[in-house]
């Protein structure tokens, strides 16, 4: 266990914003967790669990607490048959590494999550999804350290209340477990079945345009990566936090009226949920490519905000408000931020 002091959050997060954290503890193995939380308790400080910082934003004021940096990595096979693979994945493992591990051996279930930045732990917490697949479709359960009880537990997926960008780990409300657990590993079940049903619009268009008729895992992974490479900045080199706003979910009964009111509005069925891409709303509001308080609305994907010259969280906050107001005035929808904030 390594303890550092006064580490800039801007150096740990891909949006490159944020003042210093009072302490940072590097969690390199599960045995570090007991001593780490003993340190947190002894100093009577709040704590925050951080992965690779790709979906997290720091604020202008210093974080007077302890950031626990999740560096747990590794993939372990728990069971395998001809048609099914169950693996235990340490939550500091990058989601891309897990996708490659699966696809390279022709396992299915997460190929559409290719090139999604972040760790497996972050993907579990927010039920990460892309192009019609979500973590909830392959997640069996998680191993975690119960901070309150000081013991290790297993939580089955049915107890996580997973839905769109939501779990008990990142939510408020009566079922919230926010701040209670450090998730150490995810149990993932993969299979040999190709992605079924109607493909997400841009993925379908890409496959048609490139003459691809199969849905093999490797084909879907390559297509998704090419789409994302051409639309989304690499957060390792271009300061951003990935998709900045959640898509809008709507009731099926409201769709006819929405399509009549807003010509060409895209509405997709993702699992059992109907979604409107927030990037399309932002583009239609005339903000694609706009520079707002040092934050650039990407000219390739309006859902992405790029930190070109915003030196503070305050500037980001002003840009966010301007975008949300424009979409609200034009469409009546309330945009919700996707990245978490360290507070």
């Amino acid at each position: 266990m390594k303890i550092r002091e006064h580490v800039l959050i801007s150096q740990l997060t891909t949006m490159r914003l944020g003042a210093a954290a009072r302490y940072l503890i590097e969690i390199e193995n599960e045995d570090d967790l007991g001593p780490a939380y003993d340190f947190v308790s002894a100093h009577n400080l709040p704590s925050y669990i951080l992965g690779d910082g790709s979906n997290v934003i720091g604020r202008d004021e210093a974080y007077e607490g302890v950031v626990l940096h999740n560096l747990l990595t590794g993939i372990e096979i728990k069971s395998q048959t001809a048609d099914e693979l169950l693996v235990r994945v340490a939550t500091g493992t990058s989601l891309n590494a897990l996708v490659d591990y699966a696809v390279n051996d022709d396992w299915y279930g997460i190929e559409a999550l290719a090139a999604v930045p972040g760790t497996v732990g972050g993907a579990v917490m927010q039920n990460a999804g892309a192009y019609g697949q979500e973590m909830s479709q392959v997640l069996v359960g998680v191993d975690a350290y119960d901070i309150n009880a000081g013991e290790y537990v297993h939580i089955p997926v049915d107890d996580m209340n997973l839905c769109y960008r939501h779990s008990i780990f990142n939510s408020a409300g009566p079922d919230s477990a926010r701040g209670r657990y450090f998730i150490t590993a995810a149990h993932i079940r993969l299979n040999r079945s190709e992605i079924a049903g109607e493909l997400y619009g841009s993925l379908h268009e890409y496959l048609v345009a490139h003459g691809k008729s199969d849905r093999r895992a490797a084909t879907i992974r390559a297509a998704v990566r090419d789409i994302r490479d051409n639309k989304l900045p690499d957060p390792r080199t271009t300061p951003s936090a990935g998709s900045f706003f959640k898509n809008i979910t709507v009731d099926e009964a409201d769709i006819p009226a929405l399509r009549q009111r807003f010509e060409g509005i895209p509405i997709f069925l993702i699992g059992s949920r109907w979604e409107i891409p927030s990037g399309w709303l932002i583009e239609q509001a005339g903000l694609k490519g706009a520079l707002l308080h040092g934050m650039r609305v990407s000219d390739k994907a309006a859902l992405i905000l790029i930190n070109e010259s915003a030196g503070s969280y305050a500037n980001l906050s002003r840009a966010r408000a301007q975008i949300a107001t424009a979409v609200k005035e034009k469409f009546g929808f309330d945009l919700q931020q996707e990245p978490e904030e360290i507070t």
Side-chain angles (χ1 to χ4, degrees):
M1 184 178 78
K2 298 178 182 177
I3 302 175
R4 298 161 59 192
E5 294 187 61
H6 305 297
V7 177
L8 287 173
I9 292 171
S10 60
Q11 296 179 350
L12 302 171
T13 56
T14 58
M15 187 60 96
R16 305 290 190 266
L17 293 175
R22 179 66 181 86
Y23 295 101
L24 181 136
I25 299 180
E26 296 179 351
I27 305 298
E28 298 178 302
N29 60 73
E30 294 185 26
D31 291 338
D32 289 338
L33 289 171
Y37 281 105
D38 286 344
F39 180 91
V40 171
S41 178
H43 288 77
N44 193 29
L45 292 172
S47 63
Y48 184 88
I49 301 166
L50 181 69
D52 73 350
S54 60
N55 197 48
V56 177
I57 295 171
R59 294 194 172 189
D60 293 337
E61 62 271 16
Y63 178 65
E64 296 298 335
V66 182
V67 171
L68 293 103
H69 196 187
N70 184 358
L71 301 178
L72 304 175
T73 59
I75 302 173
E76 173 190 2
I77 295 176
K78 302 299 292 183
S79 65
Q80 182 174 351
T81 67
D83 300 317
E84 186 175 280
L85 176 70
L86 180 65
V87 292
R88 182 183 189 268
V89 188
T91 50
T93 304
S94 78
L95 184 56
N96 265 306
L98 176 58
V99 171
D100 286 343
Y101 177 91
V103 174
N104 290 346
D105 204 19
D106 205 30
W107 292 105
Y108 291 73
I110 54 173
E111 58 273 14
L113 302 184
V116 172
T119 62
V120 170
V124 168
M125 286 188 65
Q126 66 158 351
N127 187 27
Y131 300 100
Q133 289 183 334
E134 289 182 336
M135 288 297 292
S136 61
Q137 297 167 340
V138 296
L139 188 64
V140 176
V142 300
D143 299 330
Y145 181 78
D146 186 331
I147 299 165
N148 295 342
E151 63 184 19
Y152 293 90
V153 298
H154 179 79
I155 305 171
V157 67
D158 289 345
D159 293 342
M160 296 183 202
N161 192 21
L162 296 182
C163 54
Y164 179 59
R165 303 299 180 265
H166 172 95
S167 72
I168 62 172
F169 308 114
N170 70 352
S171 65
D175 67 340
S176 174
R178 189 182 185 95
R180 178 174 174 179
Y181 299 104
F182 187 114
I183 305 171
T184 57
H187 294 253
I188 304 291
R189 179 180 288 121
L190 304 169
N191 58 65
R192 297 293 193 190
S193 301
E194 294 181 356
I195 189 170
E198 182 181 355
L199 293 179
Y200 196 85
S202 56
L203 177 56
H204 171 75
E205 292 167 4
Y206 178 95
L207 293 175
V208 170
H210 288 78
K212 303 289 186 179
S213 58
D214 71 273
R215 296 188 177 187
R216 291 181 300 114
T219 299
I220 298 298
R221 176 183 63 177
V224 168
R225 281 186 172 161
D226 201 22
I227 292 169
R228 295 182 70 93
D229 286 347
N230 286 305
K231 291 176 58 178
L232 309 178
D234 185 343
R236 295 171 298 180
T237 57
T238 304
S240 68
S243 298
F244 194 83
F245 294 103
K246 298 177 182 179
N247 284 342
I248 302 296
T249 57
V250 295
D251 294 331
E252 184 174 5
D254 296 330
I255 293 176
L258 287 169
R259 285 180 169 153
Q260 184 175 13
R261 185 179 176 191
F262 304 113
E263 183 179 356
I265 189 170
I267 306 176
F268 298 105
L269 180 62
I270 306 298
S272 59
R273 182 182 63 250
W274 291 94
E275 292 183 16
I276 300 171
S278 291
W280 184 87
L281 301 175
I282 295 168
E283 181 176 354
Q284 295 300 306
L287 294 176
K288 188 174 184 179
L291 182 63
L292 310 173
H293 309 282
M295 300 298 303
R296 176 77 67 183
V297 180
S298 172
D299 60 359
K300 294 182 178 180
L303 194 59
I304 305 298
L305 296 187
I306 298 169
N307 181 4
E308 286 195 359
S309 59
S312 68
Y313 173 84
N315 285 333
L316 169 63
S317 181
R318 294 185 187 101
R320 177 183 60 206
Q322 189 170 340
I323 295 167
T325 297
V327 169
K328 178 72 170 180
E329 290 177 349
K330 186 172 182 65
F331 295 100
F333 294 123
D334 293 308
L335 292 179
Q336 293 185 341
Q337 178 176 308
E338 186 168 320
E340 287 198 350
E341 297 182 4
I342 299 179
T343 59

